[in-house]
Amino acid sequence: SQSKLADALYQQGRHLEEVSHREAVAAICTKSDDLQTSLNARSRLAHTLSKLDQHVRAVEILEQVVKECGHRDSPDALWFQDNLAMALSRVGKHEEALQLKRKVVQTRCEEFEPNHPYTLWSQSSLAKTLTDVGYYAEALAVEEKLVKASLETMGANHPNTLWAQDNLAITLGHLGRHEEALDLKKEVLKRRKMYFGPKHKYTLWSTGSVADTLLAMGEKDEALKLRRREVKDRQKIHGIIFADTIEAQLKLAKLLTGMGHREEAIELQDKVVKLSREAFGPNNPDTLRVARSFAEITSPGPTQEIWSFFSPKHLGCGAPWG
């Protein structure tokens, strides 16, 4: 079915191809009498549009979804509201997004216990938005409580606890507390290696996250060493043109270019783009997007533009949960 095909394309990071299938599924579901299925399909479409930076359209779709969903008795009403809040933040409507997120957290707290997974998830999502808009002190307070609650209810090795600690570390970095952030990220990396194994996607994500903090501290050589290791492992496990591998390779290319290793970055670019063209075709939208992204990095220009990518504003996006 088109829905399964869209899911497969999503897993591969081929969002430009995915979106046409999501639109078709949403159109079919909207014509049916099943409102919940229609709302879910349009919500998934909005998520894919956000992946393509089409945030304005994503907001329009989610606003309609939330409106049609109506009251909070619907099982997914709060999820739709939270998704809308994230989309609003992406179009610069930060205060509106925060207001909606606070409303979701309040409702969750009324419906569930303080340490219920839904309550904790909503608080984590709120902290993420607070971080996005620069309210780092408030985000830190929320995240410290989340880490404590997660440790008490789920234990030190639970995936959600590790995400909570990782997000706390990212916020510490935004506040300039890089040593604390690095210590916490290394602890998370250690536990992910023990819990998931050294080659799991969460472990590899942590490896890159530690590299980000090292870079913020000026430890470029150590950051480069970790980034190389992450890319090598991702290539070995998923292949060169898997979505997460491509993202890691782009970060490596940025780092190489910023450190004056432009030729190596171009060599990496040529390999990835060549394989993308062979696998998907030279005119495939995702192939063209990969080629353009690499070209923007490796084209001759001031290195300060490359290094701006590694400013605290850009390092570590975090995630509500794993």
Side-chain angles (χ1 to χ4, degrees), residues 166 182 185-186 188-190 192-193 197-214 222-223 225-231 233-234:
D166 217 1
L182 183 61
K185 285 189 177 187
K186 284 183 175 179
V188 170
L189 175 58
K190 176 184 174 182
R192 279 182 170 150
K193 283 181 179 178
K199 303 300 174 63
H200 190 274
K201 63 179 181 178
Y202 291 165
T203 306
L204 295 175
W205 194 96
S206 274
T207 302
S209 187
V210 171
D212 287 340
T213 299
L214 286 168
E222 286 298 310
K225 187 186 302 183
L226 277 182
R227 190 62 76 186
R228 286 187 195 277
R229 183 193 307 169
E230 179 200 4
V231 167
D233 286 342
R234 287 189 183 279

Side-chain angles (χ1 to χ4, degrees), residues 160-180:
N160 289 351
T161 301
L162 296 174
W163 277 118
Q165 290 176 315
D166 217 1
N167 290 336
L168 172 59
I170 290 169
T171 301
L172 287 169
H174 283 299
L175 290 167
R177 294 161 62 176
H178 298 302
E179 293 287 350
E180 294 175 73

Side-chain angles (χ1 to χ4, degrees), residues 78-79 81-83 85-86 97-98 100-109 111-112 114 116-130 142 146 320-321:
L78 293 176
W79 298 114
Q81 289 176 30
D82 199 73
N83 290 338
M86 287 188 281
L98 269 178
L100 188 53
K101 290 244 182 173
R102 293 186 197 279
K103 176 185 174 183
V104 170
V105 169
Q106 181 180 351
T107 304
R108 291 286 192 207
C109 290
E111 294 183 347
F112 302 101
H116 189 281
Y118 286 175
T119 307
L120 297 178
W121 192 96
S122 296
Q123 290 174 332
S124 178
S125 185
L126 170 62
K128 173 67 169 60
T129 301
L130 289 167
V142 175
L146 277 170
W321 295 107

Side-chain angles (χ1 to χ4, degrees), residues 88 176 183 247 255 299:
L88 287 168
D183 288 344
E247 182 181 352
L255 183 51
S299 297

Side-chain angles (χ1 to χ4, degrees), residues 250-316:
L250 284 167
K251 288 185 177 181
L252 175 58
K254 284 179 184 288
L255 183 51
L256 288 166
T257 303
M259 294 178 68
H261 305 308
R262 194 181 298 274
E263 288 185 5
E264 186 178 349
I266 292 174
E267 185 178 329
L268 177 62
Q269 168 187 325
D270 291 344
K271 183 189 297 184
V272 176
V273 173
K274 180 176 181 291
L275 286 174
S276 295
R277 285 171 176 163
E278 290 175 355
F280 309 127
N283 297 318
N284 178 275
D286 291 300
T287 299
L288 296 173
R289 187 162 61 138
V290 168
R292 183 172 61 252
S293 296
F294 269 107
E296 290 173 352
I297 295 167
T298 59
S299 297
T303 56
Q304 65 184 37
E305 292 182 11
I306 297 295
W307 287 117
S308 68
F309 174 83
F310 298 110
S311 67
K313 177 181 177 182
H314 294 88
L315 291 179

